[in-house]
Amino acid sequence: MLLVLSTELTAGEQVRVTFRLPPGDVERVLLGTVSRIEPNAEDPEGSWPMRVAVMFENVDPELAPMLEEVAAKFGS
């Protein structure tokens, strides 16, 4: 998953990502590892200056299609 952040992380760092997805907007928590970090060319001086790619460890099989559906809505 590619995220934009206000703080810089380090490649290889373990992270916990908390988010909500429709339907129901149930809070989800996934553990992962930062696989890539780079400046966010679209917002270099703004609120979200860093782009971070996170590789998740154990994604619940029911969650994967939900993530794909949301990503498709945003053109990813």
Side-chain angles (χ1 to χ4, degrees):
M1 178 179 279
L2 184 62
L3 307 168
V4 290
L5 302 175
S6 60
T7 59
E8 190 168 333
L9 299 174
T10 305
E13 186 172 345
Q14 298 288 307
V15 294
R16 172 181 278 172
V17 178
T18 303
F19 56 95
R20 295 175 188 271
L21 290 173
D25 291 331
V26 174
E27 188 172 279
R28 310 285 181 156
V29 177
L30 292 176
L31 302 177
T33 303
V34 174
S35 59
R36 185 179 76 230
I37 186 162
E38 60 190 30
N40 181 3
E42 295 176 17
D43 194 22
E45 302 297 325
S47 298
W48 312 106
M50 303 307 298
R51 291 177 12 145
V52 177
V54 176
M55 184 170 34
F56 295 115
E57 296 167 7
N58 295 311
V59 177
D60 184 333
E62 83 172 32
L63 186 57
M66 294 169 70
L67 289 169
E68 291 172 4
E69 181 179 333
V70 171
K73 288 181 183 179
F74 290 100
S76 298

